[in-house]
């Protein structure tokens, strides 16, 4: 247990990104994520919203409980509490789910709809990129360590919530929710930029560098330009949201057209 929580520092060497240990671990998480979310969604699809919402409540409690354990372990092992806290803020794109999943579970009305949309749009992306794509984590820590296990579980919960929202029929993707979704994203992007620029040591939302993530494609494409690179990263977020809503609108239009033809 001391070794798992890294008390006194890990004595094991990291197995490395895309090692068989890394891929086996995240493969198990991803399979569990898809199977569990799809089966739960199908099982509860015809249930009342109150019943469907219970799964999201469990997700909201679980993701924050695991993250809390990770934070406590990090603080116990830290030689510099302030530095540790500075690097544990929920300002990564995936970390936003620590807040949006509870909002989706416990709020009502337009806020709930917008948060459901936000979790749907970014949850699965985080579930994949935060496990398979988290090369930097598996180069830095052993696979079976609190850092990687907690990160893997929280990202998997985000992906689970995203797939469950879609498979259970909780998704709305209404046009009126776009503004709230962008407000959520803009708030966190602004905070991430502020912390990155003032601290000089953080890289929230990977706006400063790619850190071994798939963002390396953009980073290398612009030669690491410190102005163009973060702008492109933010634009990807913006376009990604637009694509989801456009697809939803197109599907609704096709359905309405078919119904009109039948009548």
């Amino acid at each position: 247990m001391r070794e798992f929580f890294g008390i006194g520092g890990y004595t094991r060497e990291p197995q490395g990104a895309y090692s068989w240990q890394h891929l086996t671990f995240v493969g198990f998480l991803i399979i569990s994520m898809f199977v569990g979310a799809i089966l739960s969604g199908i099982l509860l699809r015809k249930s009342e919203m109150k019943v469907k919402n219970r799964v999201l409540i469990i997700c909201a409690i679980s993701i924050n409980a695991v993250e809390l354990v990770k934070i406590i372990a990090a603080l116990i092992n830290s030689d510099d509490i302030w530095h540790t806290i500075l690097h544990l803020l929920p300002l990564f794109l995936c970390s936003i789910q620590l807040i949006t999943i509870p909002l989706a579970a416990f709020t009502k009305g337009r806020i709930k709809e917008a948060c459901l949309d936000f979790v749907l749009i970014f949850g699965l992306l985080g579930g994949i990129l935060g496990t398979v794509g988290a090369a930097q984590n598996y180069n830095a820590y052993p696979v079976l360590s609190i850092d990687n296990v907690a990160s893997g579980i929280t990202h998997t919960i985000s992906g689970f919530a995203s797939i469950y929202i879609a498979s259970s029929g909780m998704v709305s993707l209404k046009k009126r929710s776009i503004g709230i979704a962008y407000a959520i994203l803009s708030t966190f992007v602004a905070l991430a930029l502020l912390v990155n620029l003032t601290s000089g040591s953080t890289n929230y939302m990977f706006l400063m560098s790619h850190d071994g993530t798939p963002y390396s494609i953009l980073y290398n494409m612009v030669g690491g330009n410190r102005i163009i690179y973060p702008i492109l990263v933010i634009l990807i977020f913006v376009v990604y949201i637009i694509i989801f809503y456009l697809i939803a609108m197109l599907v609704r239009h096709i359905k309405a057209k078919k119904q009109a033809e039948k009548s």
Side-chain angles (χ1 to χ4, degrees):
M1 293 302 290
R2 185 184 298 111
E3 177 64 22
F4 176 79
F5 286 101
I7 299 173
Y10 296 113
T11 60
R12 294 169 293 156
E13 289 291 326
Q15 288 85 0
Y18 309 113
S19 61
W20 70 265
Q21 295 95 331
H22 169 201
L23 295 179
T24 300
F25 175 62
V26 301
F28 171 78
L29 290 176
I30 290 172
I31 291 172
S32 301
M33 174 181 77
F34 274 99
V35 173
I38 291 172
L39 290 180
S40 299
I42 293 174
L43 182 64
L44 298 176
R45 190 172 182 83
K46 295 183 180 180
S47 301
E48 296 179 356
M49 183 62 73
K50 183 178 180 180
V51 176
K52 294 179 182 180
N53 199 59
R54 291 172 185 167
V55 176
L56 284 184
I57 292 174
I58 294 172
C59 289
I61 295 172
S62 300
I63 192 172
N64 281 281
V66 173
E67 186 68 12
L68 181 60
V69 171
K70 178 183 174 181
I71 290 172
I72 292 172
L75 293 174
I76 291 173
N77 294 329
S78 176
D79 295 324
D80 186 340
I81 299 296
W82 169 245
H83 180 270
T84 301
I85 292 174
L86 186 64
H87 286 76
L88 288 174
L89 298 176
L91 295 177
F92 283 108
L93 185 62
C94 303
S95 304
I96 302 176
Q97 306 297 352
L98 295 167
I99 298 169
T100 51
I101 292 178
L103 286 174
F106 294 107
T107 60
K108 296 181 180 180
R110 290 184 62 182
I111 297 296
K112 185 180 186 70
E113 288 180 356
C115 288
L116 284 170
D117 290 353
F118 198 93
V119 175
L120 170 72
I121 293 169
F122 288 107
L124 181 57
L125 180 68
I128 301 299
L129 294 183
T131 53
V132 178
Q136 74 284 6
N137 288 348
Y138 293 91
N139 282 330
Y141 313 111
V143 172
L144 295 181
S145 64
I146 184 63
D147 292 280
N148 281 328
V149 171
S151 177
I153 292 174
T154 54
H155 284 88
T156 300
I157 291 173
S158 295
F160 175 95
S162 173
I163 300 168
Y164 172 75
I165 288 169
S167 62
S168 66
M170 295 182 77
V171 61
S172 62
L173 288 175
K174 294 178 181 177
K175 189 176 180 180
R176 68 179 188 176
S177 299
I178 296 178
I180 299 176
Y182 274 124
I184 294 170
L185 178 64
S186 299
T187 299
F188 281 91
V189 167
L191 289 172
L193 274 172
L194 178 64
V195 174
N196 288 341
L197 294 173
T198 54
S199 71
S201 63
T202 58
N203 185 28
Y204 287 116
M205 297 239 184
F206 300 105
L207 295 174
M208 310 307 289
S209 66
H210 61 84
D211 277 355
T213 65
Y215 289 116
S216 59
I217 298 172
L218 286 180
Y219 191 85
N220 295 331
M221 186 172 67
V222 298
N225 187 288
R226 296 183 70 82
I227 297 177
I228 299 176
Y229 167 70
I231 291 175
L232 288 178
V233 171
I234 294 169
L235 282 176
I236 285 179
F237 300 157
V238 172
V239 172
Y240 188 64
I241 290 176
I242 291 174
I243 289 173
F244 261 83
Y245 279 97
L246 285 177
I247 291 174
M249 292 175 190
L250 179 62
V251 170
R252 288 196 191 99
H253 175 73
I254 293 173
K255 285 183 176 179
K257 188 175 181 180
K258 286 183 178 180
Q259 289 178 351
E261 289 175 353
K262 288 181 180 179
S263 60

